[in-house]
Each structure stands twice: as structure tokens, then as C-alpha cells.
């Protein structure tokens, strides 16, 4: 009775994880927050005027250039070499354009005209020919050297040398810090502003030069930022884009070297998330940055403020804590306010109230008692105003009753304690202040006052006074397994309340993602058409007083706010002691509408969690795919050694389990930590991104990617091989100036002498680029595998049709003895044709006799050599393709330079792994794998060890993967070249 195949739970787990991860990828790449940035516009034609550089620049930096941005009269002055403003140098990021400076430069120019002041800025911009600095490390050092060289050139354009402000986008921010590490003094660059710059580590470690550059810059800043160091007086400002920036997460942009670290959702007046490119033109952010630049300029000295404290205070005000005006003044708010008792005073004694003053009403002072009954209900007062454009609007005073109505002659100004509130229109924009009442009463104050002068719009004042233990709910964050059921935080909020503070206990991992749902009462149903005010969720940084507004979406009749660690992990100042974000319970504040009741719940977001996992660990996909293929190759080699049979790569991948590699990785990481040998697993642990089951999860989740890649390449060999071969023939023929027949014959001849092809590819690697040579080798390998498959298929068909092998020309009559011999031979041939050696047949016994025993020699032919070669070569081809893809940035950089007439790379990180791989392929192409070799199992065990190495040292340092692949190819090649033949298997029978 035939046994039915048993159900394998592993496949179900892989399918579920892959499905969930696909949902996470969709959530991360497609289902993003709407872009609420306003576009910036130029009022005059933008011009990028080239700056003449010294002659030696043409030899050292022939691909780079320097420009200055100008409009109208400003451009004319620049063309006449008139520079008298404050110089600012914009440094673009990876593949960035020098023209990205136009938003900042145009808004700054327009502001200088509108203010009618002598303060203006000259915006210079560097053109790096759109180099891929994020994935090609040598480009960063070239850019750094260029910036360091042009700074003196810019200073010489002025009558007296001026300090230069550096503004860097993406990798340009890292280059700006690298300029100081290159020896530029802090007096030349006292201020650096970075936009969406990954400061601590590269997001994709695709070559060792990139990691080396990061190490050099960060080690320099760590050593020199203390008092008396080379960068002790340099102010660094870092701004990230928030959730919509899929390239540089907020955690990656946070830096212990920054004195002001903000996210666009926390910038007053911006309060929106930006993607990686829109951060340079988002008008709300550009306005805040330009105001900061004008405020750091000292009109008395006609230069930047020399105090780092002043520089950081200005940017902190505009990017984090602005509570009133659009200009920073150290003593903007008077400590004491004076009032006239004859003015109109209104007293409101309710603990919760909302009062609207009509437009153009007389000046009114609203007083709220700081003490009342019951006394325990008077602990915190929250006051919110809308429609009020008054800078000094809230105060505390000791009221007198001389005129019958309580009034004040003076009061302590509380306006500086307030903060601006976001909103979609003038009706929802406002200010808010929180005051601890016992502290005011202890200082002798009896009332809190709100100044409401005449206004063009109605002014609404809302007050909420509550006790110490009210308006606060702590809830343990639900686990992922309970994500389908919301956890109720507040059944119904207190009537007429303005705030509710929620403590989420346990939101302490970078992959955590939660949805906070706020459902209003029926009388305050969700309305998206009129732009009416809605609840706002404000999130505070763990180690910062900054408050970021959480974007929301409307789902049915609920406001849903996504809470993730990127929104809250704002690092402390560079003057602090810690460089790592603290993690723990999270407190969020929900601002409510006075007339509404709300129900609040929280649930773990399944799609958000997997979106975070993709964002944090998606860069490790290549390492796990290589690990899968190496394990599959090891399984194939061991199977050939044990059973003389090589399974297909797809079957080998499906047979893999995490236990083949994960325990070895964990144990090795522990041992290496004891030996103080740094590895990628330790890197994950140090960054707080390590999970106990992370390798198992990633191993299973990304296995379908390996299957799709393997299946796709195999289908390509079967289906597209002929078309690709024809295309190669046409291209080859056109390059030779010959016809397709000649090209076909030439390629056929080359396929017979792969050593010549390998030598040519090695010459290409040394003369051009290693990545190009390996890509061509992969293409040649693909075409060669297609030819192998055609030959294999032809032999299979011949075996399936025996009569094609039996056809012999008719023979003339022969002598009897000869006829008998011929008949015997013919019979043997027919028997062989009727029973050909199948691919899966096990033995072909040949008995021999002796005087005392019978020895049966079994010729083990479980699989044809052609089938063995196909399966092994397909796995090796997949490894070559992956190595080529990992070196694609180097190839693109080389191609762009060739296009621009600059063919030489400053450094080729792909050279050594490529030439090693090509040398190994030369042997493999020449010596096709066969069963009759020893040590297959031993080589398989070494390849298995390489799979462990790929996760241990290359899961994040992807530039090591091509070396691992090259070693694997070299091992298989040396085995095929040097391994002795295996002895025949014999069975002795008495």
C-alpha cells in the first residue's frame, strides 16, 4: 500500500511568515502617511552660476564642480564676483543633485528682500555628478576631500574670510562631519545642519570602504568633541523625516554628536512627516531652517554668533520648542507683566470650561482660581487658546478685590512654558500651557490669567483643572498574539476634559508597533470634510523635552494613531553622557475637544510590526539568501558523497531548517564575545536590535525569496536561455562587425575553451572593474548552463527512444561462426537498448567466480553525470548572480564614470572577490563535476561552515558576502581539480 506523504508544519510556518512579511513590505512601501508638505516656489528664474576653481582641481577633482545659486539681481551680482553675504555650502547626498539647494536658497533670498535688512546668505552648492555615496564608499572620501579643498576657495571670494555653514542632505551630512575629521578647523565650519543623514552606521554595508569611512569619522568625533577638542566648538543640528522616510529611519538619523536632534513631526509649524527627498523642499521645514539661519547671524558683528550655546539655542527654539514668535530673542518674554485695574477682568470659577470671545471684542483678562474646593482636585491646570495671536498671553498673579471684581496689577509671565499646537486650519491652530497649581500657590499666586486682546477672529479659551491622579491611565501594551483584539485604555473620558495622559508600559523594542484608537461620541462623529478640530496625540522623547505630533488616519468612526519607536527615540544633546536612546515605558498625551467624549483603546499592529521588521532587518535578506544557497550546496555535496546522487537545488532548499545553522551561529557569537572578536551578531546586540528568535524568523521568512530566485533562474535557463543566447549572438556579432553565423560559431568555440573566456574576464577585471567581469562571467555561465541543459535533454530523449540507437546498416550474409557471434552481439545490444541504465537505477552487477568465493562488483550509477553537473552548476550560478548583485553599485559607479569620460575608480572593492570567483569558475567550466571523486562530504561540511560564517560576519556587513561566495566556489573548484577518484563499491558473497 502506497504511503501518503505526511504534512510538514514547516511549510505552513514559512507560508504564514512570508505572507505576513509581504503585508509588512506593502505597509512600509505603499501604505504610507500622506505627504502634507507644501511645495516651495521660485519667484525668479533660478540660476546655478559656476565658481572658477584652481587649475589643480581639474586633475584631482575633474568630475566635481562648485556653483552658487542666484535669482534676479542677486545672480547678476554673483556673475560680477560680488559676494558680501554669509556663505552657506549645500552638500547633496547619494545620487543627489546640486540643484536641491534652490528651496533653501530661494526662500532665504526672498526673506532678505521682505525684511529689507542687510542680512542675506550666499548659497553655494557642490556638484558630485550624482555619485552613489551611500553604497560606494570610495566616493565619500573623494567628496570629503573636494569639500575640504573648496572651503578656502569660497572664503577667498570675500574681502575678509568668513566662517561657512555646511548643510548636508543624506550622506552629505556625514560628509560635512567628515570634513572636520579631514583637518578643517572649527573656526572655518562652526555650524553643521544635516537633513535625513544616517550618522552612526551605513544602512547598507556594501563595501569595506564605506564602513571604514564611518569608523574614521565617528571615532574622530567621539575623541574630539570634549572640551578643548577639535570639534568642541562646532554646533551640529540633525533633522530626520519621520515615518515616511523609508531610506533613513529616525533611529538611524539620531546622533550622539548632534546638539539639536529633531524630527519633522516635532518641528513647530511643520508637524508632518516627510520622505527622503521632500525634506529638502518641504516649505514648513524650510521656513523653520531659514528663520534659524537669520537668527544665528549677528548683525552687530556682521557674522555668525561665535557662541555655540547661542547657535544651538536658536535651532532648539525653531526646531523643537518654539512657543510664540517666529524670531528668536533671548529675552523675548518679560518676567513680570503690568496691568491696569481699570481694564476689563472676567473671573471663571469652573474647573472645566470653554468660553469664546467674539471677534474685535475689547481687551479682556480672564482669571481662573488656582485654589478651590475640593482642594485635591486642584493640582494641574491645562489652558488652551485658539485664534489668539498674542505672544505674552498667560500669567499667574495674586488678585486683589478692591474694586469688587478680582483684578491684578502685575503677574508672572507663563507664556514661555507654553507650546504651539498643530492643526489643519486657523480654527484648529492654537497654544497650550500646563501649570502645576500647588507650586504657584506656594509662591503666593492666587489666579491664572489669560490676556485676550481684540482679534480679527473669535478667540476660544478652554480650561481643564484636575487632580494629581486624574487624567492618567497606565496600560500594559498587548502582545502581538492578541493583535486582533483591542485593549481598552479608557472606556469613556471625563466630560469636558482637555487632556488624557496614557502610559504604555512595555513599548521598548525597535520593532514594536501599536495602534491607538480614539472613538468620539455620537455627537462628535468623525468628519473629514470641514477640517474641524480633531484629537491630537503628542509623543515625548525618552531623553528629550521635545514633543512630536503623531499622524493619524481615519478608520470608520475612529481616529487611529500609529505609535512606533522611531517617533519617540530622540537622542539627548551631544553634551549628554549617553549616546544610546533609552527605552522603557512611553507616555503620550491626547488632546481632546472640550465638548466631546471619547473611548480609547490600543492594540498591537500586526502589519505595523512586520513593516518595522522589514525596515530594521530587510538589509539582511542577501545574507540569508546566500546562507540558504550555501546550505543547499552543502547538502548536494554531502548527498553525492553518501548516495552518489545530487538533489535539485529547489528540493535542497525545501529540506533546510534553521537548526542547521542557527545554533552554531549563537554558540559561535558567544565564543567570539569571550575572545573579544567583534562580529555582526554582536553588532546587533549592541544596537539593541537583537532578538532571541531573530535568526530563526529571518531564516524561514526569507526562504521563499531564495526559492523564487532559484526557480526564476531555472525557468530562465529553460525558457529564456535560447532567446538570451540569440541576443548575445547578435550583440557579439555587431561588436565584431560580423554576421550572426560567424558570431554563433565564435561563441560555440568559446564555450569549448572556457579557460580562454576566464583569462579574458580576468583581464577585464584588472583593466576596468571587477564587478563588470563577474557580471559577464555570470552571463556566460547562464548561457553555458543552457547549452548543458540542451545536451542533457538530447541524451534523455535518445534514451527514451531506443530504436534510434539500434538502427544499424544491413549486413551481408556471414559465415556460421561469424553469424553466431553477430547474433550474440545483436542480442546483447537489444537487451541494453530495452533496459537502458536509468538515472535512478541503483546497480549493474557483474559476477566473477573463483575457487572459494563469488565476488559481485556493483557499479553504482544512481545518477547521470549530466544531471549531477546541471544541479551543481545551477546552485553555483545562483551564488555568482548574488555576488554580482551585491557588487552592482560598484558596476553602476564605473559605468557612470565611463559615460562621463572618467573610467578609473579610486578603489575597486569588487576586484579581489571577483578575480577569485572567476579563477574558480575557470576550473568548474573546464572540469565538469562527476560522481567518482572522493571527499564530497568533507567539502560539503566546509561549505556548511561557510553558511555559518555568512550569518556570523556578513549578516549586516554585506561586503563580506562576495568573499564568502568566492571561497565556496574556490573550494568546489579545487575539489574537482585535485580530489582523487573514488573506489568502486564491492559486495562479497561466500
Amino acid at each position: 500500500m502506497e504511503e501518503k506523504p505526511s504534512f510538514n508544519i514547516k511549510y505552513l510556518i514559512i507560508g504564514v511568515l512570508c505572507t505576513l512579511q509581504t503585508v509588512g513590505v506593502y505597509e512600509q512601501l505603499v501604505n504610507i502617511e500622506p505627504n502634507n508638505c507644501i511645495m516651495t516656489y521660485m519667484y525668479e528664474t533660478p540660476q546655478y552660476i559656476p565658481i572658477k576653481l584652481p587649475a589643480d582641481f581639474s586633475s584631482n577633482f575633474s568630475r566635481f564642480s562648485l556653483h552658487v545659486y542666484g535669482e534676479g539681481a542677486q545672480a547678476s551680482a554673483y556673475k560680477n564676483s560680488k559676494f558680501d553675504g554669509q556663505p552657506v555650502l549645500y552638500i547633496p547626498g547619494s545620487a543627489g543633485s546640486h540643484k536641491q539647494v534652490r528651496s533653501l536658497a530661494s526662500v532665504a533670498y526672498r526673506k532678505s528682500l521682505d525684511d529689507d535688512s542687510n542680512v542675506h546668505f550666499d548659497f553655494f552648492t557642490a556638484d558630485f555628478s550624482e555619485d552613489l555615496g551611500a553604497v560606494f564608499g570610495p566616493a565619500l572620501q573623494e567628496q570629503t576631500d573636494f569639500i575640504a579643498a573648496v572651503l578656502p576657495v569660497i572664503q577667498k571670494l570675500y574681502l575678509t574670510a568668513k566662517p561657512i555653514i555646511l548643510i548636508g542632505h543624506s550622506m552629505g551630512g556625514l560628509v560635512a562631519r567628515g570634513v572636520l575629521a579631514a583637518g578643517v578647523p572649527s573656526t572655518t565650519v562652526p555650524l553643521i545642519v544635516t537633513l535625513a543623514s544616517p550618522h552612526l552606521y551605513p544602512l547598507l554595508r556594501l563595501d569595506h570602504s564605506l564602513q571604514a569611512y564611518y569608523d574614521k569619522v565617528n571615532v574622530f568625533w567621539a575623541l574630539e568633541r570634549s572640551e578643548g577638542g577639535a570639534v568642541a566648538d562646532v554646533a551640529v543640528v540633525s533633522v530626520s523625516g519621520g515615518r515616511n522616510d523609508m531610506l533613513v529611519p529616525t533611529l538611524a538619523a539620531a546622533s550622539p554628536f548632534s546638539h539639536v536632534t529633531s524630527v519633522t513631526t516635532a518641528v513647530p509649524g511643520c508637524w508632518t512627516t516627510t520622505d527622503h527627498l521632500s525634506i529638502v523642499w518641504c516649505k514648513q521645514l524650510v521656513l523653520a531652517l531659514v528663520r534659524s539661519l537669520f537668527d544665528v547671524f549677528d548683525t552687530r558683528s556682521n557674522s555668525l554668533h561665535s557662541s555655540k550655546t547661542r547657535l544651538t539655542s536658536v535651532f532648539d527654539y525653531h526646531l523643537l520648542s518654539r512657543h510664540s514668535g517666529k524670531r528668536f530673542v533671548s529675552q523675548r518674554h518679560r518676567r513680570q507683566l503690568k496691568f491696569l485695574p481699570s481694564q476689563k477682568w472676567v473671573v471663571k470659577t469652573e474647573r472645566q470650561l470653554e468660553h469664546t470671545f467674539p471677534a474685535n471684542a475689547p481687551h479682556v483678562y480672564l482669571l481662573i482660581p488656582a485654589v478651590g474646593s475640593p482642594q485635591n482636585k486642584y493640582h494641574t491646570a491645562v489652558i488652551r487658546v485658539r485664534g489668539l495671536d498674542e505672544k505674552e498671553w498667560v500669567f499667574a498673579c495674586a488678585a486683589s478685590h478692591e474694586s469688587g471684581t478680582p483684578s491684578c496689577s502685575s503677574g508672572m509671565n507663563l507664556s514661555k512654558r507654553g507650546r504651539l499646537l498643530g492643526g489643519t486650519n486657523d480654527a484648529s491652530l492654537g497654544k497650550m500651557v500646563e501649570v502645576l497649581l500647588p507650586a504657584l500657590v506656594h509662591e503666593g499666586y492666587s489666579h491664572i490669567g489669560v490676556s485676550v486682546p481684540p482679534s480679527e477672529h473669535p478667540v476660544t479659551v478652554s480650561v481643564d483643572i484636575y487632580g494629581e491622579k486624574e487624567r492618567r491611565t497606565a496600560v500594559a501594551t498587548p502582545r502581538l498574539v492578541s493583535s486582533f483584539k483591542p485593549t481598552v485604555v479608557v472606556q469613556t473620558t471625563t466630560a469636558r476634559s482637555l487632556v488624557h495622559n496614557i502610559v504604555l508600559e512595555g513599548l521598548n523594542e525597535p520593532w514594536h508597533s501599536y495602534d491607538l484608537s480614539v472613538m468620539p461620541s455620537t455627537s462628535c462623529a468623525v468628519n473629514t470634510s470641514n477640517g474641524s478640530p480633531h484629537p491630537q496625540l503628542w509623543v515625548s522623547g525618552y531623553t528629550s523635552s521635545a514633543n512630536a505630533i503623531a499622524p493619524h488616519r481615519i478608520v470608520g468612526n475612529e481616529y487611529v494613531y500609529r505609535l512606533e519607536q522611531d517617533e519617540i527615540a530622540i537622542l539627548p544633546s551631544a553634551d549628554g553622557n549617553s549616546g544610546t536612546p533609552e527605552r522603557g515605558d512611553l507616555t503620550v498625551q491626547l488632546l481632546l475637544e472640550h465638548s466631546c467624549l471619547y473611548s480609547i483603546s490600543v492594540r498591537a499592529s500586526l502589519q505595523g510590526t512586520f513593516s518595522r521588521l522589514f525596515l530594521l532587518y530587510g538589509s539582511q535578506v542577501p545574507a540569508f539568501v546566500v546562507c540558504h544557497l550555501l546550505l543547499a550546496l552543502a547538502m548536494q555535496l554531502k548527498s553525492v558523497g553518501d548516495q552518489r546522487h545530487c538533489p535539485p537545488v529547489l528540493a535542497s532548499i525545501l529540506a533546510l531548517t534553521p537548526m542547521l545553522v542557527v545554533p552554531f551561529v549563537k554558540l559561535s557569537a558567544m565564543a567570539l564575545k569571550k575572545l573579544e572578536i567583534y562580529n555582526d551578531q554582536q553588532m546587533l546586540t549592541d544596537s539593541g536590535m537583537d532578538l532571541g528568535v531573530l535568526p530563526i524568523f529571518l531564516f524561514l521568512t526569507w526562504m521563499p525569496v531564495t526559492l523564487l530566485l532559484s526557480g526564476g533562474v531555472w525557468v530562465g535557463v529553460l525558457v529564456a536561455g535560447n532567446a538570451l543566447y540569440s541576443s548575445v549572438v547578435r550583440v557579439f556579432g555587431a561588436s565584431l562587425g560580423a554576421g550572426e553565423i560567424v558570431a554563433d560559431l565564435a561563441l560555440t568555440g568559446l564555450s569549448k575553451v572556457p579557460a580562454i573566456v576566464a583569462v579574458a574576464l580576468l583581464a577585464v577585471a584588472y583593466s576596468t572593474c571587477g564587478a563588470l567581469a563577474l557580471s559577464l562571467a555570470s552571463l556566460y555561465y547562464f548561457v553555458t548552463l543552457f547549452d548543458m541543459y540542451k545536451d542533457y535533454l538530447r541524451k534523455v530523449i535518445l534514451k527514451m527512444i531506443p530504436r534510434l540507437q539500434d538502427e544499424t546498416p544491413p549486413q551481408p550474409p556471414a559465415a556460421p561462426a561469424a553469424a553466431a557471434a553477430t547474433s550474440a552481439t545483436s542480442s546483447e545490444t537489444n537487451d541494453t537498448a530495452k533496459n537502458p541504465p536509468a538515472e535512478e537505477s541503483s546497480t549493474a552487477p557483474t559476477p566473477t567466480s573463483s575457487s572459494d568465493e563469488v565476488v559481485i562488483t556493483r557499479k553504482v550509477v544512481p545518477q547521470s553525470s549530466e544531471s549531477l553537473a546541471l544541479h551543481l552548476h545551477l546552485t553555483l550560478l545562483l551564488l555568482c548572480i548574488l555576488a554580482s548583485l551585491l557588487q552592482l553599485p560598484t558596476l553602476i559607479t564605473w559605468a557612470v564614470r565611463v559615460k562621463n569620460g572618467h573610467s578609473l575608480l579610486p578603489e575597486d572593492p569588487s576586484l579581489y572577490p571577483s578575480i577569485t570567483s572567476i579563477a574558480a569558475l575557470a576550473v568548474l567550466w573546464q572540469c565538469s563535476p562527476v560522481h567518482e571523486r572522493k571527499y564530497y562530504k568533507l567539502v560539503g561540511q566546509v561549505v556548511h561552515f561557510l553558511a555559518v560564517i555568512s550569518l556570523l560576519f556578513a549578516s549586516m556587513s554585506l561586503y563580506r558576502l562576495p568573499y564568502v561566495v568566492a571561497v565556496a566556489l574556490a573550494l568546489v573548484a579545487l575539489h574537482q581539480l585535485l580530489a582523487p577518484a573514488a573506489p568502486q563499491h564491492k559486495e562479497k558473497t561466500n
Side-chain angles (χ1 to χ4, degrees):
M1 185 175 180
E2 185 179 354
E3 183 180 354
K4 295 183 179 179
S6 60
F7 174 73
N8 195 333
I9 189 66
K10 180 185 71 173
Y11 300 146
L12 176 61
I13 296 174
I14 292 173
V16 171
L17 289 178
C18 183
T19 301
L20 292 174
Q21 190 59 73
T22 302
V23 173
V25 173
Y26 174 83
E27 183 81 6
Q28 178 67 26
L29 301 181
V30 179
N31 192 22
I32 60 177
E33 302 288 344
N35 191 340
N36 294 319
C37 284
I38 302 172
M39 178 65 74
T40 51
Y41 294 96
M42 285 80 248
Y43 290 89
E44 299 180 76
T45 303
Q47 300 183 51
Y48 304 89
I49 303 161
I51 300 297
K52 186 178 181 180
L53 299 176
D56 59 336
F57 275 66
S58 59
S59 58
N60 297 330
F61 310 105
S62 57
R63 298 181 305 107
F64 300 158
S65 58
L66 181 68
H67 304 261
V68 62
Y69 178 90
E71 297 179 14
Q74 183 190 44
S76 301
Y78 291 153
K79 292 177 181 178
N80 293 325
S81 300
K82 183 180 180 181
F83 296 91
D84 55 4
Q86 168 60 45
V88 179
L89 176 57
Y90 175 80
I91 306 174
S94 179
S97 170
H98 65 286
K99 296 182 179 180
Q100 292 172 338
V101 72
R102 62 178 175 265
S103 296
L104 280 166
S106 182
V107 171
Y109 175 60
R110 195 56 47 186
K111 179 174 174 59
S112 65
L113 296 179
D114 293 342
D115 291 352
D116 194 22
S117 65
N118 293 326
V119 179
H120 66 275
F121 293 82
D122 300 329
F123 277 83
F124 298 87
T125 178
D127 182 4
F128 293 143
S129 300
E130 301 185 3
D131 269 353
L132 299 177
V135 290
F136 184 69
L140 292 179
Q141 189 59 54
E142 284 188 304
Q143 295 171 8
T144 302
D145 295 340
F146 176 76
I147 297 298
V150 299
L151 292 177
V153 175
I154 294 175
Q155 289 182 318
K156 289 179 181 179
L157 297 174
Y158 298 85
L159 295 177
T160 57
K162 294 185 176 184
I164 301 172
I165 301 172
L166 297 185
I167 298 180
H169 171 241
S170 188
M171 298 304 291
L174 182 66
V175 171
R177 290 201 300 117
V179 168
L180 275 298
V184 174
S186 59
T187 53
T188 302
V189 181
L191 175 60
I192 296 175
V193 180
T194 67
L195 305 176
S197 298
H199 285 286
L200 293 182
Y201 54 86
L203 301 179
L204 286 175
R205 296 173 172 88
L206 291 178
D207 69 67
H208 62 88
S209 299
L210 187 63
Q211 184 64 56
Y213 184 87
Y214 264 92
D215 293 340
K216 181 183 72 172
V217 173
N218 287 332
V219 167
F220 173 84
W221 277 77
L223 296 175
E224 299 294 337
R225 65 174 176 167
S226 58
E227 185 176 355
V231 296
D233 296 327
V234 179
V236 181
V237 179
S238 177
V239 184
S240 57
R243 188 176 298 129
N244 274 11
D245 193 337
M246 295 177 289
L247 298 180
V248 181
T250 303
L251 284 175
S255 169
F257 309 118
S258 299
H259 301 85
V260 178
T261 302
S262 183
V263 61
T264 53
T265 52
V267 176
C270 183
W271 296 308
T272 185
T273 177
T274 65
D275 59 49
H276 194 62
L277 291 179
S278 64
I279 195 171
V280 300
W281 57 258
C282 184
K283 185 177 181 180
Q284 298 96 310
L285 177 62
V286 169
L287 288 173
L289 292 173
V290 168
R291 291 172 189 144
S292 302
L293 292 177
F294 275 81
D295 280 342
V296 297
F297 190 84
D298 187 0
T299 55
R300 292 170 297 182
S301 63
N302 198 31
S303 182
L304 291 179
H305 281 283
S306 57
S307 170
K308 185 182 73 173
T309 303
R310 174 61 181 244
L311 298 179
T312 56
S313 298
V314 167
F315 277 94
D316 181 88
Y317 177 78
H318 286 287
L319 300 181
L320 289 173
S321 59
R322 182 164 73 89
H323 46 78
S324 56
K326 298 177 181 179
R327 294 295 303 271
F328 173 84
V329 178
S330 298
Q331 302 297 328
R332 171 172 293 280
H333 295 284
R334 295 170 292 176
R335 293 181 59 86
Q336 291 289 324
L337 302 177
K338 301 294 183 180
F339 311 107
L340 296 176
S342 59
Q343 292 177 315
K344 185 176 180 180
W345 296 82
V346 176
V347 180
K348 296 289 184 179
T349 59
E350 301 97 320
R351 288 195 302 115
Q352 287 85 34
L353 66 93
E354 186 169 271
H355 186 80
T356 300
F357 298 90
N360 300 315
H363 197 150
V364 176
Y365 292 96
L366 177 66
L367 289 180
I368 301 103
V371 292
S373 180
Q375 188 173 355
N376 64 339
K377 297 291 185 180
Y378 283 79
H379 180 269
T380 304
V382 176
I383 303 174
R384 181 180 65 196
V385 296
R386 284 176 173 153
L388 180 64
D389 190 19
E390 181 75 3
K391 297 173 183 176
E392 298 175 330
W393 62 280
V394 62
F395 56 90
C397 68
S400 65
H401 298 74
E402 296 179 359
S403 58
T405 301
S407 62
C408 300
S409 59
S410 64
M412 180 178 64
N413 195 348
L414 301 177
S415 303
K416 200 170 183 178
R417 302 186 187 183
R419 74 170 187 258
L420 300 179
L421 301 178
T424 56
N425 52 30
D426 293 338
S428 59
L429 289 172
K431 304 175 183 179
M432 189 187 84
V433 68
E434 290 183 82
V435 182
L436 295 179
L437 298 179
L440 292 181
V441 174
H442 179 73
E443 295 181 30
Y445 299 107
S446 62
H447 288 75
I448 300 175
V450 179
S451 174
V452 185
S455 174
E456 297 179 358
H457 308 284
V459 177
T460 301
V461 180
S462 304
V463 178
D464 184 14
I465 299 175
Y466 53 89
E468 182 178 4
K469 298 182 179 180
E470 296 180 311
R471 310 288 196 275
R472 184 180 181 89
T473 302
V475 59
T477 50
R479 300 299 92 189
L480 187 62
V481 293
S482 60
S483 60
F484 299 100
K485 182 181 179 181
T487 299
V488 176
V489 179
V490 178
Q491 191 69 41
T492 305
T493 56
T494 306
R496 296 178 297 172
S497 60
L498 290 181
V499 299
H500 198 98
N501 298 304
I502 302 170
V503 181
L504 297 175
E505 299 174 346
L507 201 161
N508 51 16
E509 295 293 345
W511 51 271
H512 280 172
S513 179
Y514 291 91
D515 284 340
L516 190 75
S517 300
V518 179
M519 183 173 66
S521 57
T522 307
S523 60
C524 301
V526 173
N527 190 340
T528 60
S529 60
N530 59 5
S532 58
H534 58 77
Q536 294 182 359
L537 187 69
W538 289 83
V539 187
S540 297
Y542 286 130
T543 56
S544 171
S545 60
N547 290 281
I549 189 170
H552 76 279
R553 66 183 188 277
I554 296 176
V555 180
N557 61 341
E558 294 181 334
Y559 300 97
V560 180
Y561 303 84
R562 177 66 54 81
L563 293 176
E564 296 171 347
Q565 200 178 75
D566 264 9
E567 298 294 334
I568 55 183
I570 299 177
L571 283 172
S573 164
D575 299 325
N577 297 322
S578 174
T580 304
E582 298 177 5
R583 293 170 180 166
D585 300 340
L586 169 68
T587 301
V588 298
Q589 186 177 70
L590 189 64
L591 304 186
L592 309 173
E593 292 304 308
H594 180 270
S595 58
C596 299
L597 298 176
Y598 299 90
S599 175
I600 307 172
S601 61
V602 64
R603 73 172 71 192
S605 173
L606 194 64
Q607 63 270 32
T609 298
F610 279 88
S611 173
R612 295 288 302 162
L613 289 172
F614 173 71
L615 178 67
L616 295 170
Y617 306 110
S619 61
Q620 298 186 36
V621 175
F624 279 89
V625 173
V626 169
C627 177
H628 293 152
L629 292 176
L630 288 175
L631 288 176
L633 178 61
M635 186 175 293
Q636 289 175 320
L637 294 171
K638 293 176 185 177
S639 179
V640 174
D642 288 339
Q643 305 172 12
R644 294 294 189 265
H645 177 269
C646 179
V649 63
L650 292 176
S652 301
I653 294 172
L654 287 173
L656 300 178
T657 66
M659 295 301 102
L660 289 172
V661 66
V662 172
F664 301 104
V665 172
K666 289 293 185 181
L667 292 174
S668 300
M670 295 171 59
L672 292 175
K673 184 177 180 180
K674 294 290 185 181
L675 298 173
E676 297 184 354
I677 299 176
Y678 202 64
N679 57 83
D680 285 15
Q681 300 301 312
Q682 185 65 37
M683 190 186 304
L684 284 171
T685 303
D686 292 346
S687 61
M689 294 170 56
D690 188 24
L691 306 174
V693 297
L694 178 64
I696 297 177
F697 166 77
L698 296 178
F699 188 96
L700 295 175
T701 300
W702 301 122
M703 188 178 288
V705 176
T706 310
L707 289 170
L708 287 175
L709 175 65
S710 305
V713 172
W714 182 235
V715 170
V717 171
L718 301 182
V719 177
N722 193 32
L724 179 62
Y725 184 82
S726 301
S727 301
V728 172
V729 167
R730 286 194 296 270
V731 173
F732 191 56
S735 62
L736 292 177
E740 292 187 10
I741 296 178
V742 177
D744 187 19
L745 292 174
L747 283 176
T748 303
L750 287 177
S751 65
K752 303 302 180 183
V753 282
I756 296 178
V757 176
V759 170
L761 291 173
L762 290 174
V764 170
Y766 278 105
S767 60
T768 57
C769 169
L772 173 63
L774 188 58
S775 299
L776 293 175
S778 300
L779 180 62
Y780 175 80
Y781 206 170
F782 186 92
V783 175
T784 302
L785 192 61
F786 172 69
D787 282 341
M788 291 173 57
Y789 175 73
K790 286 196 303 182
D791 295 340
Y792 170 73
L793 192 62
R794 186 182 303 112
K795 292 181 180 180
V796 170
I797 293 175
L798 289 175
K799 289 180 181 180
M800 293 174 60
I801 311 176
R803 65 183 180 83
L804 295 179
Q805 295 181 344
D806 295 339
E807 289 182 358
T808 57
Q811 299 292 333
T822 303
S823 176
T825 305
S826 176
S827 175
E828 183 181 351
T829 304
N830 288 336
D831 290 341
T832 304
K834 291 177 183 178
N835 301 284
E839 280 199 18
E840 304 301 328
S841 63
S842 59
T843 60
T846 304
T848 61
S849 62
S850 66
S851 60
D852 40 333
E853 68 175 0
V854 176
V855 180
I856 300 178
T857 304
R858 296 180 178 270
K859 296 181 180 178
V860 183
V861 189
Q863 184 181 39
S864 68
S865 297
E866 291 83 1
S867 178
L868 167 68
L870 272 177
H871 295 326
L872 274 182
H873 276 302
L874 178 60
T875 308
L876 298 174
L877 171 62
L878 289 168
L879 289 170
C880 289
I881 291 175
L882 273 175
S884 300
L885 292 176
L886 288 169
Q887 296 174 354
L888 191 60
T890 303
L891 177 59
I892 294 175
T893 302
W894 173 83
V896 171
R897 297 192 182 209
V898 168
K899 180 181 177 181
N900 297 331
H902 308 278
S903 57
L904 294 179
L905 294 175
E907 180 182 350
D908 186 1
S910 66
L911 180 61
Y912 295 116
S914 295
I915 60 177
T916 304
S917 299
I918 293 171
L921 291 176
V923 176
L924 293 171
W925 292 336
Q926 193 75 31
C927 304
S928 185
V930 294
H931 298 87
E932 292 77 16
R933 294 191 188 277
K934 298 175 65 175
Y935 308 127
Y936 267 108
K937 190 172 182 178
L938 177 61
V939 176
Q941 291 170 345
V942 177
V943 173
H944 193 153
F945 173 74
L946 288 177
V948 176
I949 293 296
S950 66
L951 295 187
L952 195 59
F953 288 98
S955 58
M956 297 182 68
S957 304
L958 301 181
Y959 62 88
R960 294 171 178 159
L961 286 177
Y963 290 91
V964 175
V965 171
V967 172
L969 294 175
L971 278 173
V972 177
L974 290 174
H975 172 259
Q976 294 299 315
L977 185 64
L978 303 177
Q984 289 186 331
H985 289 247
K986 295 184 179 182
E987 291 186 6
K988 295 185 178 181
T989 304
N990 291 327

